Amino acid sequence: MKVVDLDVTPLRELNQMLHDQHSRVDVAAWRIVNPRGRHGIAAGLDAALTVEIDGHVGYYCAGMNKQATVTIDGSAGTGVAENMMSGRVHVKGDASQSAAATGCGGLLIIDGNASARCGISNRGIDIVVKGSVGHMSAFMAQAGTLVVLGDAGDALGDSIYEARLFVRGNVKTLGADCIEKPLQDIHKQHLRALLDAAGVGGEVDANEFKRFGSARQLYNFKIDNLEAYG
Amino acid sequence: MLPQQVSTGVSQRNVCGIVGLFLKNKALEPKLGALMTGMLATMCERGPDSAGFAVYGHGDPEHVKLTVRAIAPDYDFGPLATELSATLGTPIAITPHDTHAVLTVPARLADAARAAIAARTSKVKLVGVGTRMEIYKEVGRPDQVARRFKLSEMAGSHGVAHTRMATESAVTTSGAHPFSTARDQCLVHNGSLSNHNALRRKLSRSGMTFETENDSEVAAGYLTQRMREGASLGDALEKSLDDLDGFYTFVVGTENGFGVLRDAIACKPAILAETDDYVAFGSEYRALAALPGIEKAKVWEPEPATVYFWERKA
């Protein structure tokens, strides 16, 4: 495992070293110490790396991630895993606003709470938040999944397209065109798979969740295009 | 201007940086300025236009401190002290700090001292008045501003600081935060208010005076007005959720209190950290990362539309 101390190594140098692994992986395991809230740590990765970050990170950590597994042993600032394509990002603390914004794929796990706009404009990423999420979460979400073990704030799923939302606790209010839908076996299976992937399948019962999704009244939904909506 | 440049400008609006530190452990008080200097320096990127800070330091109820700033950069404060001592009929202590100076006058002569300063507007301008509060602000890079005023040598129980990226009004020293609209009260603001003109007119009609066209000064004036009517700082902040329209994260200081409020949409970033020794506020965690014991601090993002308020025992 290669250890990089951000008190010694400039952040750009670290990110360049990680990006140098894209064409050929020489070092697969990385540990980053003293992040001290810096922005853009481990952003833009595109290789099967494991990156452990020991402490709190700033904005856009692991943004645009492809393939890599990034673990943050602390809390994350705005836009963690934004626009993630694939791979896995695990925040052991809390996440600030717009976590996984516009994410296309992969899995984001947040052990603590996520603040406002979690999973905004989701385009296919799966998000599991073990705590609660703030207001306007899943705003304009188009695909993917948001699983919340705690509560959801105001206007959950406002202007939602076809993303799937599962909340175990209370939802303060639902946003425009977001409605509760029946939790069927197919949804429970999907939910269980995500709970397993987040490491809580054994302790959390999928039956305790409510499912929310689009009423399909607000956007120009065409049943002929259903396949394309995912 | 190219469309791309326009959109870049819009996305960078209202950045600004805020830091605040409220000490619970008196043993840290000599280090307040040094800790704030480190916090402020990390926020240079968020607001390179100007910076300012308020420090709540030593004070006694028999005296008030008037912070004034000179209009000319190389102004000699010596003759001002002599003139004011003659006008007020008592010796006035004056402590210059670069372009600013703190005048310590007997509390009973506070209004007379203000009038004497107001009569010299071509030379000096009043920045703030407090039993314990001193305010310093200048245009320029925040780390340089802190160095000019020797913030790192200042002691106190709490303080707030601001780095400004100007949006609603010009880059001037007067437009720099903090804004003070009453004794020992100050406010720093990240965001922009949309109803500040209407609110300024309303507050002006009820007798409040404003020094600038700045939206943040209106927010400070609004809180002052509410507190004059008997509200606590916490209650005044609570009421502002109804009356102030726009984006804001406020950090507010009073003689013994320290408050934080974000609007309900909460676009403007904010992080709080608390240990047995202090409460610290930063626009970003980076600003708090060098504080002692931060590794074990409770660190959280303040909830939208929720008032946070701490008070020290007088």
Side-chain angles (χ1 to χ4, degrees):
Chain A
M1 178 182 282
K2 186 172 173 67
V3 178
V4 180
D5 183 347
L6 282 179
D7 279 351
V8 179
T9 306
L11 175 61
R12 278 173 191 235
E13 224 169 89
L14 163 72
N15 280 341
Q16 189 59 55
M17 285 191 280
L18 293 168
H19 294 175
D20 288 345
Q21 304 294 313
H22 290 182
S23 46
R24 196 187 67 186
V25 175
D26 296 318
V27 182
W30 296 71
R31 184 156 174 266
I32 298 163
V33 298
N34 294 317
R36 301 195 194 281
R38 288 179 179 89
H39 302 323
I41 296 174
L45 303 189
D46 186 7
L49 309 175
T50 59
V51 180
E52 291 170 19
I53 304 170
D54 187 9
H56 303 311
V57 296
Y59 294 179
Y60 311 124
C61 181
M64 301 174 283
N65 186 56
K66 266 186 180 172
Q67 304 186 62
T69 297
V70 179
T71 305
I72 298 152
D73 195 0
S75 292
T78 298
V80 64
E82 62 138 13
N83 211 76
M84 179 149 84
M85 304 304 287
S86 65
R88 178 186 166 107
V89 174
H90 183 181
V91 181
K92 292 194 171 176
D94 299 324
S96 182
Q97 57 188 334
S98 303
T102 74
C104 289
L107 175 65
L108 169 66
I109 302 162
I110 297 163
D111 288 353
N113 301 314
S115 65
R117 295 172 275 272
C118 179
I120 181 172
S121 194
N122 189 340
R123 294 181 291 163
I125 190 172
D126 292 322
I127 307 164
V128 178
V129 181
K130 296 182 189 172
S132 298
V133 296
H135 63 272
M136 297 296 275
S137 287
F139 175 57
M140 292 188 82
Q142 295 133 57
T145 314
L146 174 64
V147 179
V148 182
L149 274 57
D151 302 329
D154 270 318
L156 175 72
D158 192 276
S159 307
I160 188 172
Y161 293 81
E162 290 303 310
R164 288 154 294 188
L165 315 181
F166 300 99
V167 182
R168 186 167 65 159
N170 297 316
V171 174
K172 197 169 176 196
T173 57
L174 288 173
D177 213 31
C178 185
I179 53 168
E180 187 176 349
K181 295 183 166 186
L183 185 71
Q184 295 166 341
D185 285 345
I186 188 171
H187 307 119
K188 288 179 194 168
Q189 277 170 26
H190 175 61
L191 182 53
R192 275 190 205 106
L194 286 176
L195 292 170
D196 285 342
V200 290
E203 59 204 82
V204 177
D205 183 355
N207 293 303
E208 294 175 0
F209 286 78
K210 285 180 179 170
R211 178 170 80 100
F212 302 91
S214 177
R216 296 168 177 162
Q217 299 300 306
L218 195 59
Y219 77 100
N220 196 14
F221 178 78
K222 293 253 193 316
I223 193 71
D224 300 339
N225 296 333
L226 186 60
E227 289 297 311
Y229 296 135
Chain B
M1 206 187 282
L2 296 169
Q4 292 93 319
Q5 287 173 315
V6 173
S7 80
T8 305
V10 169
S11 70
Q12 289 179 346
R13 272 178 61 115
N14 314 328
V15 176
C16 297
I18 299 178
V19 298
L21 187 59
F22 175 84
L23 299 177
K24 299 198 246 175
N25 179 354
K26 282 191 185 303
L28 281 175
E29 290 187 4
K31 292 184 188 163
L32 178 83
L35 293 169
M36 283 178 63
T37 301
M39 296 168 78
L40 186 63
T42 60
M43 291 294 102
C44 281
E45 290 163 30
R46 295 191 65 91
D49 291 337
S50 65
F53 53 89
V55 170
Y56 292 80
H58 175 72
D60 72 83
E62 302 297 312
H63 292 86
V64 290
K65 299 194 281 190
L66 292 87
T67 310
V68 295
R69 70 176 175 86
I71 304 300
D74 51 358
Y75 181 74
D76 177 7
F77 286 100
L80 177 70
T82 314
E83 283 173 43
L84 287 182
S85 300
T87 308
L88 300 175
T90 185
I92 300 302
I94 187 160
T95 316
H97 297 265
D98 196 70
T99 55
H100 288 42
V102 176
L103 300 157
T104 305
V105 305
R108 64 189 164 80
L109 297 175
D111 288 342
R114 289 182 79 128
I117 291 162
R120 290 166 174 79
T121 45
S122 62
K123 291 177 182 164
V124 290
K125 200 165 168 53
L126 187 66
V127 186
V129 179
T131 306
R132 299 180 56 231
M133 181 188 74
E134 296 173 15
I135 290 187
Y136 303 88
K137 47 171 119 173
E138 267 305 343
V139 292
R141 267 184 66 92
D143 48 353
Q144 289 162 2
V145 171
R147 207 172 304 130
R148 284 175 74 166
F149 292 123
K150 297 191 172 68
L151 170 61
S152 62
E153 294 171 16
M154 293 183 188
S157 57
H158 56 298
V160 299
H162 185 272
T163 66
R164 179 166 185 241
M165 188 175 279
T167 57
E168 297 288 303
S169 64
V171 179
T172 58
T173 307
S174 297
H177 300 224
F179 286 100
S180 179
T181 44
R183 192 182 286 194
D184 281 309
Q185 290 174 15
C186 77
L187 170 141
V188 291
H189 171 207
N190 176 14
S192 61
L193 300 179
S194 33
N195 65 338
H196 63 101
N197 284 324
L199 202 53
R200 187 186 292 107
R201 283 192 294 273
K202 202 169 160 187
L203 291 166
S204 297
R205 278 199 294 274
S206 60
M208 183 152 276
T209 56
F210 292 94
E211 303 289 327
T212 71
E213 292 299 305
N214 189 287
D215 57 331
S216 311
E217 190 187 11
V218 175
Y222 173 85
L223 294 175
T224 293
Q225 178 81 349
R226 288 280 168 266
M227 286 188 271
R228 270 184 198 158
E229 289 163 5
S232 67
L233 173 59
D235 291 341
L237 287 169
E238 197 75 54
K239 195 80 180 59
S240 70
L241 287 165
D242 296 330
D243 293 332
L244 300 183
D245 187 11
F247 297 119
Y248 49 88
T249 293
F250 295 134
V251 179
V252 182
T254 63
E255 185 180 352
N256 295 304
F258 180 79
V260 172
L261 177 66
R262 303 173 81 194
D263 70 85
I265 306 295
C267 283
K268 298 298 155 197
I271 297 289
L272 278 164
E274 185 165 14
T275 70
D276 289 343
D277 291 336
Y278 59 78
V279 175
F281 176 95
S283 291
E284 300 174 25
Y285 175 76
R286 284 191 300 164
L288 315 179
L291 290 174
I294 192 72
E295 302 78 15
K296 293 201 167 63
K298 179 191 170 200
V299 177
W300 78 103
E301 188 171 309
E303 295 281 336
T306 304
V307 173
Y308 294 83
F309 180 59
W310 289 267
E311 197 153 33
R312 74 197 273 277
K313 291 181 190 78

